[in-house]
């Protein structure tokens, strides 16, 4: 008989950036011969990232996994990372291209860097694509979106860690792109993932949602915030809810987690039992917060809320956390 503590483990909702199919072969990252053989394979492919945006081959089905020879064709990469092996055994790399590999269209009149105006010079067959909009539109298989998230997060870290935080000397890439080493003080640095708690405070038949000014109009979502040093997940959940809405919470239950490559977070989804009811918003992070009855949340999901209020997009864990609460922890 299965132990009870595994019964609720690993809930796989339909949010983006999970379900990465690659075998990361993390135990082989120090094996130079193995890495060189992978890099030379004719079926080796790469995700090219320039100025934080993936480069796609245009077409009816836009393709971000390009032959590794594309890297040299575009003038070479600042660095490469072995993301892992596909189920077929074919290796997949991420390549961080220098900013100079892409250019901005000259007709950008307002002088503000509009990312949609970036292009790869001399390559009409390639285009730069915003990862967030790719995930929102769900135009690619979820496995591919997960690999893109991995590539974006790890190259973002490399792009900002060229110098040692300990002594200021240059660092160099090691372990197939999964470590940087300082040439002077010899400190090893590893890619960061920043934990963020995202949660619903629950008061019986109601849950707490808030909105930030930057949200799409009329969208309400779960509260969220970074876990701080010296905090458990549960403590971070209670602190954030109190900080943003002045609601006290007791029991906290973990539900699921989502990698979130903007730039390199892990969203830790929780429910928290509210012990107080009066909301006072901080006015800094939130412009509004309120309690929502189950029926009201159902109306938001079904796009028939009387005030036109909307639930978060299905790409985000907040959408699924809310659905999970609405369904009382049962599947749809
Ligand atoms: Zn150093």
């Amino acid at each position: 008989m299965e132990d009870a503590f595994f019964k609720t483990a690993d809930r796989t909702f339909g949010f983006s950036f999970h379900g990465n199919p690659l075998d990361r072969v993390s135990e082989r990252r120090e094996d130079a011969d193995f890495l060189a053989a992978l890099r030379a394979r004719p079926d080796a492919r790469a995700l090219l990232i320039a100025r934080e945006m993936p480069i796609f081959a245009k077409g009816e089905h836009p393709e971000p996994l390009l032959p590794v020879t594309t890297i040299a064709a575009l003038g070479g990469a600042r660095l490469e990372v072995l993301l892992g092996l596909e189920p077929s055994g074919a290796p997949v790399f991420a390549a961080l291209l220098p900013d100079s590999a892409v250019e901005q269209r000259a007709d950008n009149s307002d002088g503000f860097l509009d990312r949609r105006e970036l292009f790869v010079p001399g390559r009409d067959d390639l285009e730069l694509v915003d990862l967030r909009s790719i995930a929102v539109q769900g135009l690619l298989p979820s496995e591919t979106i997960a690999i893109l998230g991995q590539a974006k997060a790890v190259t973002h870290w490399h792009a900002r860690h060229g110098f040692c935080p300990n002594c200021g000397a240059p660092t160099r890439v090691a372990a197939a792109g999964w470590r940087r080493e300082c040439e002077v003080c010899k400190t090893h640095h590893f890619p960061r993932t920043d934990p963020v708690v995202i949660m619903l405070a629950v008061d019986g038949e109601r849950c707490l949602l808030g909105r930030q000014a930057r949200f799409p109009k009329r969208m309400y979502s779960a509260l969220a915030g970074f876990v701080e040093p010296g905090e458990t997940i549960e403590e971070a959940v209670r602190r954030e809810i109190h900080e943003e809405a002045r609601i006290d919470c007791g029991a906290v239950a973990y539900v699921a987690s989502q990698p979130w490559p903007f730039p390199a977070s892990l969203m830790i989804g929780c429910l928290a039992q509210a012990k107080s009811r009066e909301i006072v918003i901080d006015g800094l992070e939130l412009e509004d917060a309120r309690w929502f009855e189950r029926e009201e949340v159902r109306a938001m999901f079904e796009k028939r809320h009387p005030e036109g209020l909307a639930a978060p997009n299905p790409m985000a864990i907040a959408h699924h956390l809310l659905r999970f609460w609405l369904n009382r922890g049962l599947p749809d």
Side-chain angles (χ1 to χ4, degrees):
M1 207 179 107
E2 195 186 0
D3 287 325
F5 43 73
F6 289 125
K7 288 229 167 81
T8 55
D10 210 355
R11 294 189 181 94
T12 50
F13 295 122
F15 48 71
S16 296
F17 305 115
H18 87 291
N20 188 328
L22 299 183
D23 174 357
R24 295 180 180 231
V25 287
S26 50
E27 70 285 4
R28 311 284 307 266
R29 288 174 183 159
E30 310 286 344
D31 184 341
D33 293 340
F34 173 72
L35 298 174
L38 288 180
R39 186 61 177 74
R41 279 177 62 140
D43 58 357
R45 296 195 289 173
L47 295 173
L48 277 53
I49 310 274
R51 302 200 202 190
E52 311 230 338
M53 294 179 78
I55 295 175
F56 280 56
K58 289 181 187 170
E60 197 185 335
H61 301 287
E63 177 58 66
L65 283 162
L66 308 176
V68 282
T69 49
T70 317
I71 301 170
L74 295 182
R78 284 172 64 184
L79 59 98
E80 295 179 14
V81 179
L82 174 63
L83 299 179
L85 309 183
E86 294 186 72
S88 67
V92 177
F93 294 86
L96 176 64
L97 302 185
D99 289 354
S100 58
V102 296
E103 288 180 14
Q104 201 178 348
R105 294 213 190 277
D107 62 358
N108 184 15
S109 51
D110 62 4
F112 184 75
L113 181 70
D114 180 349
R115 288 166 176 241
R116 284 166 297 186
E117 297 294 327
L118 293 173
F119 69 104
V120 185
R123 292 294 300 259
D124 289 342
D125 57 325
L126 301 175
E127 62 183 335
L128 288 106
V129 179
D130 176 63
L131 181 56
R132 198 185 289 260
S133 57
I134 284 284
V136 168
Q137 293 165 32
L139 295 177
L140 289 175
S142 61
E143 292 82 0
T144 308
I145 292 177
I147 301 171
L148 279 165
Q150 180 190 8
K152 182 171 181 297
V154 72
T155 54
H156 179 273
W157 175 77
H158 276 290
R160 283 156 186 76
H161 288 78
F163 295 92
C164 178
N166 188 43
C167 76
T171 57
R172 62 180 178 83
V173 180
W178 292 94
R179 193 169 70 226
R180 296 189 74 95
E181 297 177 357
C182 175
E183 293 166 4
V184 174
C185 75
K186 309 298 178 196
T187 306
H188 288 185
H189 304 283
F190 297 91
R192 276 178 59 160
T193 296
D194 299 317
V196 173
V197 285
I198 180 161
M199 58 271 157
L200 300 177
V202 175
D203 172 38
E205 293 297 297
R206 309 184 300 174
C207 77
L208 179 68
L209 298 176
R211 61 165 283 111
Q212 298 178 16
R214 63 177 180 84
F215 283 1
K217 261 188 187 164
R218 289 193 274 279
M219 190 193 89
Y220 278 74
S221 189
L223 307 192
F226 286 102
V227 179
E228 293 189 347
E231 253 180 349
T232 65
I233 290 170
E234 292 83 351
E235 288 163 350
V237 165
R238 291 187 200 105
R239 176 183 54 76
E240 280 291 339
I241 296 173
H242 189 265
E243 203 173 288
E244 295 184 19
R246 289 285 178 274
I247 297 295
D248 296 320
C249 288
V252 172
Y254 167 78
V255 178
S257 65
Q258 177 189 30
W260 187 251
F262 307 103
S265 292
L266 178 67
M267 309 301 286
I268 303 166
C270 295
L271 300 178
Q273 211 160 38
K275 294 199 298 187
S276 68
R277 287 173 180 166
E278 195 189 338
I279 298 167
V280 182
I281 58 163
D282 64 0
L284 298 170
E285 294 191 49
L286 296 181
E287 65 170 24
D288 189 27
R290 48 163 126 163
W291 294 106
F292 287 78
E293 303 282 345
R294 276 203 159 77
E295 191 43 47
E296 203 178 358
V297 171
R298 206 181 307 280
M300 289 161 79
F301 277 121
E302 293 170 3
K303 298 189 170 48
R304 53 173 180 78
H305 190 280
E307 296 166 57
L309 302 188
N313 187 280
M315 78 177 281
I317 191 173
H319 175 104
H320 301 274
L321 202 56
L322 199 52
R323 236 179 225 294
F324 183 75
W325 168 76
L326 186 61
N327 294 336
R328 299 174 194 279
L330 299 173
D332 265 343

